[in-house]
Amino acid sequence: MPPASNAATAVNFAAATSLAMELDFNGVQPQHFGAPPARSTPFQIGSFEGAVTRGASCNCNSITLIPHCNGTHTESVGHLTTGFRPLHEFVPLSPIPALLLTVDVASAADTSEDSVPAPRQGDLLITRAALLKGWPASAQQAPRALLLRTASPAQEANPPYLTRQAASEIVQRGVEHLVVDLPSVDRSSDDGKLTAHRIFFGLPVGATDAGLATRSHCTITELAQFPSRLTDGPCALQLQIPAFTGDAVPSRPLHLPLVTA
């Protein structure tokens, strides 16, 4: 149960939980959107081969991966645009107020909510109605981050995705950093529309100039995982990312519980 609304709270750093998937280069790993597996191979130059098992003085590997497809990653409006800023320039360094929320997914046939293009038969949707059903009636502090856990396992071929109405509701509630356990907030194959992405980043339909986005400081983290022991409710989020340039980078979001101070 979250602390009472009039109680002072603090972040419990000692109880941090990583929401990142482990990327095992030699085992089973995510390969969404038809991407090849991520690879880690010994670096070779001249007679040097970076593997102690092969007689080298040290291990030195070359890593090849596609952040969007091979594991937990955080992305910016640059996923859809030109002229974007590197994420490490604006991702908060300190923990921010967050809400962990578990939602049921709905069959497209059972809701009037939609997306662009229109949902197809058999699609599973994360709806505004589901968000409203689970959102706490009151909270001590409005969350800047939403950790959205789906109650149903994702389908590999066609995972659930957000409706237009759900994406708009998240924006209206002031959420700046969205973390989901899905490969994408949009349908895996959506004719390149990326409707939920555009709504979340405040980017007009078809626009490719990052300067036109009204929420270019926001981020979406996909392919996170939420241990079942974590309970819904207010918490804090710390986004850990490398200082890479690019539209998306591998990341380790941390769930931080709150305690009464």
Side-chain angles (χ1 to χ4, degrees):
M1 176 179 295
S5 60
N6 60 348
T9 58
V11 174
N12 184 359
F13 289 95
T17 298
S18 172
L19 305 180
M21 297 176 123
E22 179 182 358
L23 180 53
D24 183 354
F25 292 102
N26 299 310
V28 177
Q29 56 178 266
Q31 291 175 244
H32 289 284
F33 310 110
R39 299 173 62 244
S40 178
T41 57
F43 169 62
Q44 292 182 294
I45 183 170
S47 61
F48 175 80
E49 183 175 4
V52 172
T53 57
R54 300 180 187 177
S57 58
C58 62
N59 294 308
C60 181
N61 279 17
S62 173
I63 293 175
T64 303
L65 61 81
I66 303 172
H68 287 288
C69 306
N70 294 135
T72 307
H73 60 278
T74 297
E75 61 193 31
S76 69
V77 70
H79 185 34
L80 305 109
T81 63
T82 61
F84 55 88
R85 294 166 55 200
L87 280 97
H88 66 86
E89 292 185 0
F90 60 87
V91 167
L93 296 177
S94 302
I96 57 176
L99 174 68
L100 173 58
L101 183 64
T102 303
V103 295
D104 292 310
V105 297
S107 169
D110 296 331
T111 178
S112 60
E113 296 187 30
D114 59 10
S115 186
V116 179
R120 302 175 188 174
Q121 184 177 5
D123 282 2
L124 296 176
L125 307 176
I126 298 171
T127 64
R128 177 178 182 268
L131 292 174
L132 295 179
K133 179 180 178 181
W135 204 283
S138 62
Q140 185 175 15
Q141 191 172 10
R144 289 179 58 195
L146 176 62
L147 316 181
L148 195 58
R149 174 167 55 188
T150 56
S152 301
Q155 301 177 37
E156 181 68 25
N158 187 26
Y161 56 95
L162 271 63
T163 64
R164 289 188 305 116
Q165 294 82 358
S168 296
E169 181 68 24
I170 290 170
V171 169
Q172 290 173 15
R173 289 182 177 268
V175 171
E176 299 171 347
H177 303 280
L178 176 62
V179 181
V180 298
D181 56 1
L182 305 169
S184 176
V185 295
D186 283 300
R187 196 177 197 278
S188 296
S189 177
D190 72 344
D191 301 329
K193 301 299 184 183
L194 292 129
T195 300
H197 279 85
R198 289 184 174 277
I199 291 173
F200 184 78
F201 290 123
L203 188 67
V205 175
T208 58
D209 180 356
L212 297 177
T214 60
R215 288 166 48 87
S216 60
H217 64 291
C218 298
T219 68
I220 297 175
T221 299
E222 296 166 333
L223 283 175
Q225 60 179 8
F226 299 99
S228 58
R229 69 177 183 277
L230 297 180
T231 57
D232 282 12
C235 58
L237 170 71
Q238 186 170 36
L239 272 176
Q240 298 185 337
I241 65 168
F244 292 175
T245 58
D247 69 296
V249 297
S251 62
R252 185 172 75 158
L254 296 182
H255 172 279
L256 299 164
L258 304 179
V259 292
T260 302

